[in-house]
Amino acid sequence: MAGHSQFKNIMHRKGRQDAQKSKIFGKLAREITVAAKLGTPDPAMNPRLRAAVIAARQENMPKDNIERAIKKAIGSEGENYDEIRYEGYGPGGVAVIVEALTDNRNRAASDIRSFFTKSGGNLGETGSVSFMFDRTGIIEYDRSVASDDAVLDAAIEAGADDVVSGEGGHEIYASTENYRDVAKALEAKFGEPRKAALIWKPQNTVTVDDETGEKLLKLMDLLNEHDDVQNVYANFEVSDALMAKMGG
């Protein structure tokens, strides 16, 4: 789990360095609109929308942009997006899950398939790798919010499944059933988290050599830079040296 967290944090930083703000805002707005359309347009009553708004605030997305994205869901001008999950194997047989929101299924499938093929991997059927991941909720707080023990105690009391605290902050994991209640309880105690979302968490990770790792990180970049792709999950770890090299 620690290795997974380390990889995720490195990729998060790399994503911030590489991606343009306009692209990030576009993806966030798309998620906000879809979340608002699927449920109520009130973030307090719609957990998915609240998670999307929190993510937008973390990226300093202007309040007007957030409100505009919510209004799109209510109005008739909003685009219709399909939620699609792609699964496949990257270089070295590493399992990869890609979550997308697209208004063109054919384009998205074609592009994502080509990314896998060019990297030496292959796109599989839905369900081909997701059995190696757990669908779980994650709530993240900065390190400065509270001590490890205080976060652990609060998480246990709230009904969380696991807590990982490290230099990068506190990660609290909760089942899909308890996620909303755990997030609410922690927010009442520590304030708004820096992230609250449902994710695909690998049950185990595999360590790959630097050559394979570089190919995998490039595949992650290609996928993350695509407009339709919202999230990418994989079950591999790479060396600290390669992380430093690829992370800038």
Side-chain angles (χ1 to χ4, degrees):
M1 190 177 298
H4 164 62
S5 301
Q6 182 188 39
F7 165 71
K8 179 171 63 62
N9 290 336
I10 287 290
M11 289 307 293
H12 182 61
R13 285 197 293 273
K14 182 170 174 52
R16 281 174 177 269
Q17 291 166 5
D18 293 349
Q20 298 174 349
K21 277 292 179 186
S22 59
K23 185 181 285 286
I24 294 173
F25 287 174
K27 292 189 179 196
L28 290 166
R30 189 177 292 195
E31 170 62 17
I32 288 169
T33 300
V34 169
K37 188 172 284 190
L38 290 174
T40 171
D42 180 1
M45 303 297 293
N46 183 335
R48 178 170 173 176
L49 178 57
R50 177 144 184 75
V53 170
I54 286 172
R57 286 178 186 153
Q58 284 294 316
E59 292 291 349
N60 297 315
M61 186 172 175
K63 188 178 177 182
D64 287 349
N65 292 33
I66 295 172
E67 291 176 351
R68 194 180 307 122
I70 293 174
K71 285 177 182 175
K72 265 191 175 184
I74 305 167
S76 57
E77 83 268 28
E79 302 93 336
N80 289 314
Y81 295 108
D82 291 326
E83 290 188 84
I84 310 172
R85 186 175 82 239
Y86 300 96
E87 301 181 24
Y89 290 93
V94 164
V96 182
I97 294 177
V98 182
E99 291 180 331
L101 290 174
T102 182
D103 56 0
N104 187 325
R105 281 174 169 264
N106 291 335
R107 177 195 64 218
S110 175
D111 290 349
I112 290 169
R113 186 180 300 279
S114 73
F115 293 157
F116 273 85
T117 302
K118 287 174 185 174
S119 72
N122 63 282
L123 197 61
E125 299 296 322
T126 300
S128 59
V129 304
S130 56
F131 68 91
M132 290 184 271
F133 295 75
D134 292 323
R135 187 64 167 164
T136 187
I138 185 171
I139 303 104
E140 291 186 8
Y141 280 96
D142 288 335
R143 182 86 186 147
S144 57
V145 162
S147 68
D148 294 0
D149 288 343
V151 171
L152 179 61
D153 289 345
I156 291 171
E157 188 177 339
D161 293 337
D162 198 7
V163 179
V164 178
S165 293
E167 290 181 11
H170 306 284
E171 297 177 358
I172 300 96
Y173 295 92
S175 68
T176 52
E177 295 79 17
N178 293 344
Y179 158 67
R180 186 181 182 187
D181 291 337
V182 172
K184 273 187 172 181
L186 293 174
E187 185 165 342
K189 194 169 187 69
F190 301 124
E192 187 175 283
R194 70 184 183 196
K195 177 178 180 178
L198 289 171
I199 63 166
W200 291 95
K201 181 169 166 286
Q203 294 164 359
N204 297 289
T205 55
V206 294
T207 302
V208 297
D209 60 41
D210 285 0
E211 183 180 350
T212 303
E214 190 162 340
K215 290 177 184 176
L216 281 161
L217 292 177
K218 286 178 179 176
L219 171 60
M220 299 295 108
D221 280 348
L222 278 174
L223 290 167
N224 278 309
E225 285 166 11
H226 194 282
D227 288 341
D228 293 340
V229 173
Q230 294 294 109
N231 300 296
V232 182
Y233 305 95
N235 67 346
F236 71 100
E237 293 181 55
V238 297
S239 69
D240 289 345
L242 181 60
M243 281 185 175
K245 175 185 173 185
M246 298 295 285

